[in-house]
Amino acid sequence: MRDTRFDEGCETVLGLGEVGEDQAGLVGGKGAHLGELSRLDGVRVPDGFCVTTNAFRRVVERAPEVEALLDRLAGADPDDRQAVRALSAELRRAVEEAVIPDGLAAGITGAVARLGEEAPYAVRSSATAEDLPTASFAGQQDTYLNVVGPAEVLRHVSRCWASLFTERAVIYRRRNGIDDRTVRMAVVVQRMVLPDASGVLFTADPVTGHRRTATVDAGFGLGEALVSGLVNPDVFTVRDDAVVARTIAVKQRAVHALPGGGTREVTVEPRQQERPALTDAQVVELVRLGRRIEDRFGCPQDIEWCLTDDGFRIVQSRPITTLFPVPDPVPEAVERRTPSVYVSVGHQQMMTDAMKPLGWSMWQRTAMVPMHEAGGRLFVDVTPRLASPASRAALLDVMGKGDPLVRDALETVLERDEFELPVPDAGDAGDAGPVGPPAAGAPEASVTEADPAIVAELVERSETSVAALERDIRTKSGPELFDFLAEAFEEHKRVLSDPLSIRAIMAGMEATWWLNEKLGEWLGEKSAADALTLSAPGNITSEMGLDLLDVADAIRPYPEVVAFLNDVQDDAHGDGFLDGLVKLPGGSAAREAIDTYLRRYGMRCVAEIDIARPRWSERPATLVPLILDNIRNFGPGAAERRFEQGRLRALRTEQDVLTRLRALPDGERKAEATKRMIDQVRAFAGYREYPKYGIVCRYFLYKQALLEEAGRLVRDGVLDEREDVFHLTFQELEDVVRSRRADPRLIARRKEAFRSYEALTPPRVLTSDGEAVNGAYRRDDVPAGALAGLAVSTGSVEGRARVILDLADAELEEGDILVTRFTDPSWSPLFLGVAGLVTEVGGLMTHGAVIAREYGLPAVVGVDQATRLIRDGQRIRVHGTDGYVEILG
């Protein structure tokens, strides 16, 4: 077909050879990709043309009822499926019945005439929000095969336009944050290929994410047989130009084109049913073709193909949007020429949500080890650490203590035949930080000894450093602010890496491990340290929960304040309700109690490692549901009473343990060593939470200063809104401040990318080949049907599961069991009102585990897909001692 513009004046019909990747707004994602492919050497695309979005716009503009229906759809409740279904049907009908202007109709029929009026065609939807790197929209709009004759082509073009408003397409757009009004529909019309075989090629494994592994699904006849599920495909797995696995299906049915138009199912001859649809040589040839297409578009592709007697035709190529991205390789990784292995930072920090660029880039700058971004999450390259047997053992040990699934995932990768470790470089510790603490079974002499007085000294040092930061940062703005922050980040890391602070943390952790091992050996006790750490002094996170009980005590006596808070809704600013409080009897006292709490804890929030997240001081109404829960579920003086109950229980446990030890052979020595470790764990366990508090205090000060700078950029017309800075990396923001110029297109792309990253689940371990590995519990002590996890706080409890993904949605009753993806310190106030805890992410020493032990809550963490497998309201039993959860019904 010649590259001819069929409708010169309005660009409503364009030949495929005229369009390219930069014209998705005109010809949709499918049309743009096919146009680009048609010019790629060695890639054969069936001839065709595009009916552009200009044509769609012209038709819709002449149908005012479409605009009215779009208004109604925009105002419909997104959860009202019946209303969405009805409005979508009306929209489709209105678009199908809209009149195609004569000039446009002539352009389309003229294009058909040039390609052959009697030829069969595929008429295919190509929306502007389709085949994007972040959302493929696969299967959301319609395709019609074997359409014969100009009149039928016109009719099916209208049907493609109407398919923009199928119920599934409307819902998909809403889930991806795309406005119905912003999407336009083009239509691709191509000569039909009548293939011997067809199917789909994924240039990366769509299940594991492995980028060097391609999979090919193949069947006889048209691809509709595979798409509709009429037959099972042959499946070939290809790696390094070789078929490494194949499954040949019995293909009893196929879909073929009818001579006069349309398609039909046919029965495959019995002797052909078990014949492979492709030979191995053809599969390898197809994958090589796919690699060429992947290189052109720069990301793994989902490719639809057909095979005729003269070779392969490509009829569609789109990005695979479900793959987790791979970190960009650093020069060191490229030089070692072996796959890199990355461990998720989010699984260690109890925050696996996607972070905005300012958030992850600032965490990179203030972390103690190099971190690599992918999919809005951070990862540490542990490959060099795995290379040396000694450092490998230490890394696996420390990872196993934090999260057994991470250890299992690493061991799974190490067991692979194709995985080759780099030759260890002397002194190369990799990115993984310190080798880690000694194993729990280490000799007693190796347990860290530390003076309890250093905790007070460390807290004072941190407070002094934060106060200096708060004082000095107020005077900085513009480029001077970024010069100051460079120095502040060095102080940040100095405080974080203070050897005395690390010694205090290790003193508490090692004493815990010692107690659990020795009391298990001597007394047969499981996780004995859990009861001994109840109400340990100086834990800033557990104090945060108890202090919110005191806030409830200050408010409880004033019914008008309580009624007012019940009506409070979190708004965009989050501070309006505080001003309203003072107008009520008791309101001044209530506001003072909340203000006092915010002065100490207002820098905290859910997912607080991301600087972009709104802090409690910025949205104090976030605390209102928690305060109301405390008023409803607790009586006056609950904070002091609960703390004292925990302290006395720990003391009784200590006395019982020491008495039983003294009755053993060599009992006095064992009791004396145990008493020393009990004193140590109580002196230092609480400090484990303080360094994170210090980090978050600093982050809030950084954020306030950067938002003030963003406000100046908005006033000067450099940015549209303050929050745009969150979609820039720290370095990019500094460049904007210094140059007074910003790229709005970059910010728009970042916003779109962030929306797509939010839908991804990060793996615990990721390889540079893109393989996502999450590990498994290899246990035989879990009852059938139970969900395995990591035991982090002893005890067993049965109750109603409350599956809560957002802290703002928490409505708890006494005896409820909290089930969530992860908990960071901001969730701690909820722990006071629940009977047990289940999380998808977590380890022995993560925040949720530490606070669960302090509050005496049975807890199991690291329960894969807990929030999907456990339904809200189900009765469950949490076995916090043995590490599993039973679903009772």
Side-chain angles (χ1 to χ4, degrees):
M1 172 184 164
R2 293 180 297 111
D3 292 345
T4 303
R5 180 165 293 163
F6 298 103
D7 188 348
E8 189 76 32
C10 299
E11 290 191 347
T12 53
V13 181
L14 298 174
L16 272 184
E18 294 179 88
V19 300
E21 196 176 9
D22 60 346
Q23 291 173 286
L26 186 63
V27 295
K30 185 183 286 113
H33 278 209
L34 287 170
E36 202 68 40
L37 285 171
S38 70
R39 293 195 292 275
L40 190 58
D41 246 4
V43 176
R44 300 166 73 186
V45 175
D47 285 344
F49 59 91
C50 296
V51 182
T52 70
T53 56
N54 286 338
F56 174 80
R57 178 179 50 79
R58 288 176 60 190
V59 169
V60 169
E61 283 175 350
R62 297 182 177 208
E65 64 272 22
V66 172
E67 190 69 22
L69 286 166
L70 281 171
D71 285 339
R72 290 172 59 192
L73 183 61
D77 182 348
D79 296 324
D80 187 345
R81 290 291 294 269
Q82 188 172 352
V84 171
R85 183 180 300 117
L87 287 167
S88 298
E90 287 189 63
L91 271 164
R92 288 196 304 278
R93 188 163 49 251
V95 173
E96 276 197 58
E97 293 173 356
V99 175
I100 299 178
D102 291 342
L104 173 57
I108 295 171
T109 56
V112 171
R114 288 177 174 84
L115 290 172
E117 287 192 355
E118 301 306 315
Y121 289 90
V123 183
R124 314 171 70 197
S125 304
S126 180
T128 53
E130 185 174 69
D131 295 352
L132 303 173
T134 56
S136 73
F137 279 73
Q140 301 307 312
Q141 282 89 40
D142 291 343
T143 286
Y144 301 96
L145 301 179
N146 205 34
V147 178
V148 178
E152 283 298 291
V153 169
L154 279 174
R155 186 169 74 87
H156 284 85
V157 166
S158 290
R159 294 182 71 185
C160 282
W161 287 335
S163 75
L164 187 63
F165 301 108
T166 62
E167 181 187 357
R168 64 182 183 271
V170 169
I171 291 172
Y172 190 93
R173 283 195 292 273
R174 292 186 175 207
R175 286 176 180 167
N176 284 273
I178 297 171
D179 187 342
D180 293 313
R181 294 176 179 281
T182 64
V183 183
R184 295 288 181 267
M185 179 69 84
V187 179
V188 175
V189 180
Q190 289 178 281
R191 287 282 296 254
M192 270 287 292
V193 176
L194 304 178
D196 301 319
S198 58
V200 180
L201 159 65
F202 295 96
T203 64
D205 189 316
V207 177
T208 69
H210 198 289
R211 302 305 201 264
R212 290 191 298 115
T213 300
T215 64
V216 175
D217 289 4
F220 296 133
L222 294 169
E224 290 304 290
L226 302 185
V227 172
S228 65
L230 180 65
V231 298
N232 291 323
D234 296 340
V235 180
F236 301 87
T237 303
V238 179
R239 187 178 298 166
D240 299 329
D241 270 356
V243 175
V244 297
R246 67 181 62 73
T247 302
I248 306 304
V250 177
K251 300 171 285 296
Q252 296 177 330
R253 308 286 290 171
V255 175
H256 287 174
L258 291 170
T263 61
R264 71 171 179 179
E265 293 179 21
V266 299
T267 300
V268 178
E269 293 181 19
R271 61 189 178 83
Q272 297 291 327
Q273 290 179 3
E274 295 186 40
R275 180 175 68 83
L278 297 177
T279 66
D280 282 6
Q282 288 171 328
V283 170
V284 171
E285 178 190 350
L286 177 61
V287 170
R288 287 175 179 164
L289 193 62
R291 293 291 180 215
R292 197 176 307 158
I293 294 170
E294 179 183 73
D295 288 344
R296 172 62 191 83
F297 290 117
C299 63
Q301 296 288 299
D302 165 359
I303 299 169
E304 295 179 20
W305 56 269
C306 297
L307 177 66
T308 64
D309 54 7
D310 64 343
F312 287 104
R313 300 287 194 281
I314 303 302
V315 295
Q316 187 161 335
S317 184
R318 63 168 74 90
I320 307 175
T321 59
T322 56
L323 301 178
F324 198 86
V326 179
D328 290 332
V330 296
E332 295 82 1
V334 173
E335 180 149 348
R336 60 180 183 244
R337 297 183 181 178
T338 56
S340 294
V341 182
Y342 302 95
V343 169
S344 165
V345 173
H347 284 82
Q348 299 168 53
Q349 287 293 330
M350 296 301 92
M351 207 293 275
T352 56
D353 288 351
M355 299 169 70
K356 292 176 181 173
L358 188 61
W360 57 254
S361 64
M362 288 192 67
W363 197 257
Q364 284 177 318
R365 287 189 174 236
T366 53
M368 299 309 301
V369 296
M371 293 183 178
H372 311 276
E373 182 270 339
R377 281 81 169 185
L378 291 171
F379 294 84
V380 173
D381 184 356
V382 297
T383 317
R385 182 60 58 84
L386 293 172
S388 161
S391 62
R392 183 189 316 145
L395 176 70
L396 292 174
D397 180 61
V398 74
M399 290 296 171
K401 283 188 172 70
D403 184 341
L405 292 178
V406 172
R407 175 173 184 147
D408 184 79
L410 289 172
E411 289 176 333
T412 298
V413 173
L414 290 170
E415 288 167 1
R416 302 274 170 76
D417 290 338
E418 69 269 19
F419 183 76
E420 295 181 12
L421 287 167
V423 177
D425 184 13
D428 187 356
D431 289 357
V435 169
E444 293 176 24
S446 74
V447 177
T448 302
E449 298 276 353
D451 180 357
I454 68 173
V455 170
E457 179 185 343
L458 287 166
V459 170
E460 184 180 358
R461 284 189 195 178
S462 178
E463 290 177 345
T464 300
S465 179
V466 170
L469 173 64
E470 184 173 15
R471 180 191 65 240
D472 296 341
I473 202 169
R474 289 174 179 166
T475 65
K476 312 299 180 186
S477 63
E480 186 184 13
L481 171 63
F482 288 86
D483 294 337
F484 172 80
L485 285 174
E487 298 175 8
F489 293 166
E490 291 306 310
E491 169 67 3
H492 181 122
K493 290 193 283 189
R494 186 197 66 76
V495 172
L496 196 60
S497 63
D498 185 339
L500 198 60
S501 178
I502 294 170
R503 188 177 177 193
I505 292 170
M506 293 310 304
M509 292 172 69
E510 289 189 349
T512 298
W513 294 331
W514 189 98
L515 287 166
N516 283 336
E517 184 197 345
K518 294 302 182 183
L519 297 184
E521 176 188 335
W522 295 335
L523 299 177
E525 296 277 355
K526 269 190 176 182
S527 303
D530 289 3
L532 295 167
T533 56
L534 289 168
S535 297
N539 188 315
I540 190 71
T541 305
S542 61
E543 288 172 0
M544 181 170 65
L546 295 171
D547 287 350
L548 201 61
L549 286 174
D550 290 338
V551 174
D553 283 354
I555 293 172
R556 187 180 288 105
Y558 304 108
E560 290 182 65
V561 173
V562 174
F564 174 78
L565 292 180
N566 272 301
D567 292 334
V568 165
Q569 298 295 321
D570 194 5
D571 58 37
H573 305 289
D575 56 1
F577 85 96
L578 290 174
D579 294 331
L581 276 178
V582 296
K583 302 171 185 176
L584 304 169
S588 295
R591 171 155 190 170
E592 178 56 31
I594 295 172
D595 283 342
T596 299
Y597 187 85
L598 290 173
R599 280 194 289 273
R600 191 172 192 208
Y601 304 112
M603 74 296 296
R604 309 217 84 148
C605 67
V606 173
E608 60 194 7
I609 70 171
D610 183 359
I611 197 171
R613 294 295 185 106
R615 310 284 137 172
W616 288 345
S617 286
E618 295 168 320
R619 291 190 184 170
T622 305
L623 294 173
V624 169
L626 304 179
I627 294 170
L628 292 172
D629 275 352
N630 286 346
I631 292 172
R632 184 172 60 251
N633 296 329
F634 299 95
E640 184 177 351
R641 188 165 55 252
R642 285 184 64 110
F643 185 84
E644 184 62 11
Q645 286 170 349
R647 189 188 69 80
L648 291 175
R649 183 180 161 196
L651 182 59
R652 286 194 300 271
T653 302
E654 175 184 328
Q655 292 167 345
D656 174 65
V657 163
L658 296 178
T659 298
R660 291 162 62 196
L661 285 174
R662 291 188 181 105
L664 298 176
D666 198 20
E668 284 299 331
R669 184 190 66 82
K670 291 174 179 174
E672 181 183 345
T674 300
K675 171 62 174 167
R676 189 168 68 250
M677 289 299 102
I678 292 172
D679 289 346
Q680 183 162 311
V681 80
R682 290 196 65 78
F684 292 102
Y687 180 72
R688 168 72 177 78
E689 293 290 296
Y690 194 85
K692 178 74 174 290
Y693 174 76
I695 290 171
V696 176
C697 288
R698 292 176 175 278
Y699 261 62
F700 189 39
L701 295 172
Y702 302 153
K703 179 180 185 178
Q704 289 174 307
L706 290 172
L707 282 180
E708 285 185 21
E709 196 61 39
R712 286 187 277 271
L713 292 171
V714 171
R715 288 193 295 273
D716 292 347
V718 178
L719 294 176
D720 290 335
E721 53 189 21
R722 286 198 321 164
E723 287 70 22
D724 283 350
V725 298
F726 296 143
H727 295 280
L728 299 171
T729 66
F730 182 81
Q731 183 60 58
E732 289 165 347
L733 176 56
E734 179 177 353
D735 293 343
V736 167
V737 168
R738 293 184 185 278
S739 68
R740 315 305 288 176
R741 290 194 302 274
D743 182 355
R745 293 169 302 178
L746 171 65
I747 293 170
R749 287 197 302 273
R750 290 280 176 74
K751 289 178 179 180
E752 181 182 316
F754 178 73
R755 281 195 298 270
S756 72
Y757 294 157
E758 286 183 297
L760 299 177
T761 300
R764 284 175 166 83
V765 170
L766 180 67
T767 72
S768 56
D769 286 328
E771 185 176 10
V773 191
N774 279 299
Y777 292 106
R778 306 183 191 279
R779 297 170 53 182
D780 56 13
D781 61 340
V782 177
L787 308 179
L790 178 64
V792 296
S793 185
T794 56
S796 177
V797 66
E798 180 180 323
R800 181 182 69 157
R802 288 308 321 274
V803 180
I804 298 173
L805 303 181
D806 187 335
L807 193 62
D809 298 332
E811 288 186 14
L812 298 165
E813 295 178 6
E814 188 175 356
D816 283 347
I817 296 170
L818 173 62
V819 181
T820 190
R821 289 176 300 167
F822 57 80
T823 62
D824 59 12
S826 68
W827 287 74
S828 299
L830 272 189
F831 288 17
L832 290 162
V834 298
L837 173 69
V838 179
T839 68
E840 294 180 343
V841 178
L844 279 168
M845 299 309 297
T846 49
H847 303 283
V850 171
I851 304 308
R853 289 194 290 271
E854 281 226 7
Y855 288 167
L857 295 178
V860 180
V861 303
V863 180
D864 193 35
Q865 298 189 66
T867 60
R868 298 178 189 176
L869 298 175
I870 300 172
R871 296 195 310 273
D872 187 53
Q874 280 186 308
R875 288 198 70 78
I876 62 173
R877 184 179 295 124
V878 178
H879 294 265
T881 304
D882 297 313
Y884 62 90
V885 180
E886 290 182 284
I887 300 176
L888 305 178

